[in-house]
Amino acid sequence: MAKRQPTYSTQADQLKDDLRHLSETVEELVNATAKDASGEMNDLRSRAERRLKDTRARLEARGERIYDETRDSLTHQADACDRYVHENPWTSIGIGAAAGMVIGMLLGRR
């Protein structure tokens, strides 16, 4: 049996989990080194905190942008479909009937 390719949703969830684990690890490292008072360690800790905050902000902004673009695209496609059905009702009925027949025939073969 062929191995199924992971879906986009699965890949996105995996990426989110990986980024969350990385973020938690960096936070733990920053917190663990908080007691070290050396100047170099303070500098490294502050740079790590800055980069973590910047990365989180960029990822959140990118996620919001992707969500908005996807929502707008789906809304546009749904509106186009709705317009087509209203402009061509008999064609839409024919397409629906044909699709129903094909699905019925495929399910009837089982």
Side-chain angles (χ1 to χ4, degrees):
M1 197 169 181
K3 190 175 184 180
R4 293 180 67 180
Q5 291 290 332
T7 62
Y8 175 75
S9 175
T10 304
Q11 292 173 351
D13 289 341
Q14 181 63 43
L15 180 60
K16 262 195 279 189
D17 287 343
D18 291 344
L19 288 172
R20 185 175 46 80
H21 288 302
L22 177 62
S23 173
E24 289 171 357
T25 303
V26 170
E27 284 179 353
E28 288 174 9
L29 178 63
V30 167
N31 291 335
T33 59
K35 294 178 181 123
D36 190 349
S38 70
E40 185 177 333
M41 192 56 90
N42 285 337
D43 183 43
L44 288 172
R45 187 173 45 255
S46 65
R47 284 193 322 203
E49 287 174 343
R50 247 192 337 260
R51 285 185 182 170
L52 181 61
K53 287 178 185 176
D54 291 345
T55 302
R56 280 185 179 166
R58 280 196 312 270
L59 288 174
E60 287 175 5
R62 188 175 297 154
E64 289 174 10
R65 188 178 69 242
I66 290 171
Y67 173 79
D68 290 340
E69 290 172 358
T70 303
R71 186 190 61 224
D72 293 344
S73 174
L74 289 175
T75 301
H76 175 71
Q77 291 173 5
D79 289 344
C81 183
D82 186 55
R83 276 194 309 276
Y84 179 81
V85 169
H86 280 88
E87 293 170 2
N88 305 297
W90 289 109
T91 304
S92 302
I93 291 171
I95 291 171
M101 285 180 57
V102 169
I103 291 171
M105 289 176 17
L106 291 173
L107 289 176
R109 286 188 166 180
R110 285 186 166 180

